[in-house]
Amino acid sequence: MRDLVAEHRLAVSQLVAPLFVAEGENLSESVPGLPGLYRLSVDRLIDEVKSLRTLGIRAVLLFAKVSEDQKDNTGVSALDPNGLLPRAIKALKTTVPDMVVMSDIALDPYSSYGHDGLVELDNRGEGNILNDETNAILGEMAVLHARCGADMVAPSDMMDGRVRAIRQALEAAHYTRTGIMAYSAKYASNYYGPFRAVLDSAPGFGDKKTYQMDPANGREAVAEARLDEAEGADIVMVKPGQPYLDILWRVREAVQIPVAVYQVSAEYAMLKLAAEKGWVDEKQAVLESLIGFRRAGADLIATYFAADAARWLNQ
Ligand code: PBG
């Protein structure tokens, strides 16, 4: 009876699995803070994505773990046609063609400063982010990923105007069928720690507060989402998830396009730890967090629990 009248449902097809790609062969490296998650070389990534597809997962979101010697303050390795993400995208689109491949667009994995944009040091030695110069590179990065077969590019950088820059770059290169999933309301959050440890991408100086949002702000999130919709985004995202359910709801009311939420690394880590201690039941607690996102308005959910949730939902 409860199922008959349930107001919201969670389906495997609504889940997006974030994955970390690393150099090497036959590499599946566990990562501190994210039990059950791995950095994968491209060959192992293919196996993982095949198994996700078998579970009914429709989309993956790729992040690159770039070695320290590849990082600089120009973004050049982000534009390398033989870089990690280009190779991963191509490999996936040839081996698991019906998996939607979303690729991360931002400079932090490639930045010697660990920032999402190019950095300029001012005469006091303080670093500033070069917004518009960064946008030009993000546009090129999106075109490169599109050429490799990415179905959607996912800018997580929070530069102003980057959705328009990316959309224009894609149009100019005739990639008219490549979608944009914009991290529109991305907060300067303390919940990204384990992710930064995986990619070794913690900011080298300062923080990300000049481009990521203040957790105190809600109206600004609505404004950001509307801007991204107008600039040509196909999906807008709210991130993190659990502390921002109100934002999810407000953004869902404000735009016409699909809204995604990202249950980020520390949300995963906290649930995992509590489950490990026996303080929550993992399956019940995770499924409750996911249906909460649906109730708050999420059309799709990026979560490190994607594979587990799919298994539970398929049971
Ligand atoms: C950076 C990026 C971050 C995450 C996704 N893309 C971290 C940051 O902004 O420093 C975090 C995801 C997570 O914590 O799971 N472009």
Side-chain angles (χ1 to χ4, degrees):
M1 185 71 83
R2 277 183 139 213
D3 282 343
L4 278 174
V5 298
E7 294 177 37
H8 296 281
R9 279 168 226 282
L10 180 64
V12 178
S13 59
Q14 294 155 343
L15 303 175
V16 178
L19 296 170
F20 306 113
V21 197
E23 292 294 351
E25 249 174 80
N26 197 21
L27 175 90
S28 174
E29 193 176 29
S30 62
V31 287
L34 295 174
L37 295 180
Y38 303 88
R39 296 187 192 114
L40 300 169
S41 53
V42 173
D43 52 336
R44 296 291 289 267
L45 176 78
I46 293 171
D47 298 340
E48 175 65 15
V49 172
K50 282 182 182 161
S51 101
L52 290 171
R53 189 68 197 87
T54 309
L55 288 169
I57 304 268
R58 311 306 310 269
V60 293
L61 177 56
L62 304 182
F63 295 95
K65 161 77 172 86
V66 178
S67 66
E68 244 9 76
D69 59 316
Q70 301 278 312
K71 299 185 184 186
D72 63 13
N73 189 34
T74 69
V76 65
S77 54
L79 300 180
D80 179 358
N82 295 313
L84 206 41
L85 281 191
R87 277 181 282 131
I89 297 164
K90 272 190 222 158
L92 288 181
K93 290 315 293 187
T94 44
T95 51
V96 205
D98 70 344
M99 182 64 97
V100 174
V101 173
M102 302 171 160
S103 64
D104 184 54
I105 302 288
L107 291 186
D108 52 313
Y110 313 88
S111 162
S112 42
Y113 290 110
H115 275 287
D116 292 49
L118 300 178
V119 172
E120 182 185 56
L121 295 179
D122 66 17
N123 47 24
R124 288 175 304 167
E126 268 179 40
N128 292 310
I129 306 299
L130 295 171
N131 188 92
D132 296 2
E133 292 80 349
T134 301
N135 281 347
I137 298 176
L138 299 177
E140 281 184 60
M141 200 177 167
V143 169
L144 170 60
H145 292 186
R147 191 183 311 133
C148 296
D151 300 289
M152 292 209 118
V153 291
S156 67
D157 55 285
M158 287 300 275
M159 298 303 113
D160 287 329
R162 91 282 203 204
V163 172
R164 173 167 287 125
I166 289 171
R167 175 58 72 203
Q168 282 172 349
L170 289 172
E171 294 284 322
H174 306 290
Y175 291 108
T176 52
R177 288 190 296 275
T178 309
I180 301 175
M181 177 166 76
Y183 292 59
S184 301
K186 177 173 175 183
Y187 285 86
S189 171
N190 198 249
Y191 289 65
Y192 305 148
F195 174 97
R196 291 175 181 172
V198 177
L199 298 192
D200 201 5
S201 65
F205 68 84
D207 50 42
K208 298 190 174 185
K209 291 180 183 168
T210 62
Y211 47 104
Q212 298 182 348
M213 287 181 46
D214 184 346
N217 293 358
R219 280 198 309 272
E220 187 186 4
V222 171
E224 292 276 8
R226 285 199 177 126
L227 273 173
D228 286 352
E229 183 178 39
E231 289 180 20
D234 300 283
I235 299 174
V236 290
M237 187 196 279
V238 173
K239 173 184 178 184
Q242 199 90 56
Y244 298 94
L245 292 179
D246 58 322
I247 304 301
L248 197 49
W249 177 262
R250 288 168 74 172
V251 167
R252 177 58 291 170
E253 298 281 292
V255 299
Q256 297 302 317
I257 55 181
V259 177
V261 67
Y262 197 142
Q263 184 177 47
V264 300
S265 54
E267 295 180 71
Y268 175 89
M270 291 189 301
L271 279 163
K272 274 288 187 191
L273 259 184
E276 211 179 278
K277 296 270 186 195
W279 293 334
V280 296
D281 176 84
E282 182 170 358
K283 174 180 169 183
Q284 300 305 330
V286 170
L287 290 178
E288 185 176 335
S289 73
L290 299 179
I291 198 69
F293 293 136
R294 294 279 299 141
R295 193 190 62 249
D299 299 292
L300 54 160
I301 304 168
T303 172
Y304 300 104
F305 287 111
D308 289 331
R311 269 182 220 108
W312 294 323
L313 293 170
N314 289 334
Q315 266 165 17

